[in-house]
């Protein structure tokens, strides 16, 4: 049985961590497979959006501490991919995480790595590795403050407490809260909705948003302009023709 399963639903790539007997904890081999799966997705012109999920009712409980206790460690080097696989990748296309059960420790870091997070109503997120002295080394201390703000991030990082779905939604940690059992279906539907849009413009606006976090304001505006020029050349004129023909009026999203 593969520890990472990959399937397609049209232009949506669904990548599932498949170690339910370990609550989808990630060992060395699983991290390698996740890295390979997302590298393949990023390079596939026919796949527009990826959904990251966990099998068996849990998203991911982080690194496999049982394997670590037995002397088998995940990759831990300054360069290259992260201990949990793709967490250092700069993706060029959108990703959506399905948080059901638990997204804790490194599992939370994997969810933070994704662009959007859909959380089931009874799910829990948190830095549970705090109680074991295992650090956040898959981008958690970098991404969490950018998503929820410094104060909330420090609350979660320093206390290690669990956060339920409603609090996670209120603090901006997740994008959607859905009934228990519907996370995967809703995440795929969200991914399909995103995949319907003109993709050159979408990925350029996404890139400009992320890149703008790293540079000065005036430079970010220039960067946005350059991305926009590319998008207008690729998608803008066709989109304007669709508008003139009556499509997309009154908030409609049909193409």
């Amino acid at each position: 049985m593969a520890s990472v399963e990959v399937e397609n639903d049209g232009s949506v790539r669904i990548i599932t961590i498949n170690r339910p007997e370990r609550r989808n904890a990630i060992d060395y081999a699983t991290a390698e497979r996740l890295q390979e799966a997302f590298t393949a997705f990023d390079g596939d012109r026919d796949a527009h959006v990826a959904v990251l999920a966990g099998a068996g009712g849990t998203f991911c409980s982080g690194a496999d501490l049982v394997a670590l206790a037995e002397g088998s460690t995940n990759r831990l080097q300054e360069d290259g991919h992260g201990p949990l696989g793709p967490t250092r990748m700069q993706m060029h296309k959108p990703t959506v995480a399905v948080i059901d059960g638990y997204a804790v420790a490194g599992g939370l870091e994997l969810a933070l790595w994704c662009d959007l997070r859909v959380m089931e109503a009874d799910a829990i997120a948190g830095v549970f590795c705090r109680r074991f002295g295992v650090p956040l080394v898959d981008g958690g201390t970098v991404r969490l403050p950018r998503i929820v703000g410094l104060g909330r991030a420090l609350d979660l990082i320093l206390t290690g407490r669990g956060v339920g779905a409603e609090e996670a939604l209120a603090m901006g940690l997740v994008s959607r809260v859905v009934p228990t059992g519907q996370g995967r279906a809703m995440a795929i539907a969200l991914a399909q909705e995103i995949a319907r849009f003109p993709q050159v413009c979408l990925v350029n606006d996404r890139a400009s948003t992320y890149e703008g976090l790293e540079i000065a304001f005036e430079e970010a505006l220039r960067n946005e302009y350059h991305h926009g020029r590319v998008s207008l050349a690729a998608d803008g004129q066709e989109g304007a023709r669709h508008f003139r023909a009556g499509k997309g009026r009154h908030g409609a999203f049909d193409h």
Side-chain angles (χ1 to χ4, degrees), residues 155-210:
D155 179 16
L156 299 184
I157 291 169
L158 297 180
T159 69
R161 69 182 182 89
V163 175
E166 291 304 322
E167 183 179 2
L169 181 64
M171 69 170 61
L173 178 62
V174 299
S175 313
R176 309 281 192 281
V177 170
V178 300
T180 300
Q182 296 184 22
R184 184 182 179 95
M186 292 296 291
I188 293 172
L190 177 60
Q192 289 172 334
E193 178 183 332
I194 294 169
R196 291 174 56 204
F197 295 125
Q199 290 299 299
V200 173
C201 181
L202 185 143
V203 299
N204 278 327
D205 281 356
R206 175 185 177 276
S208 178
T209 301
Y210 277 117

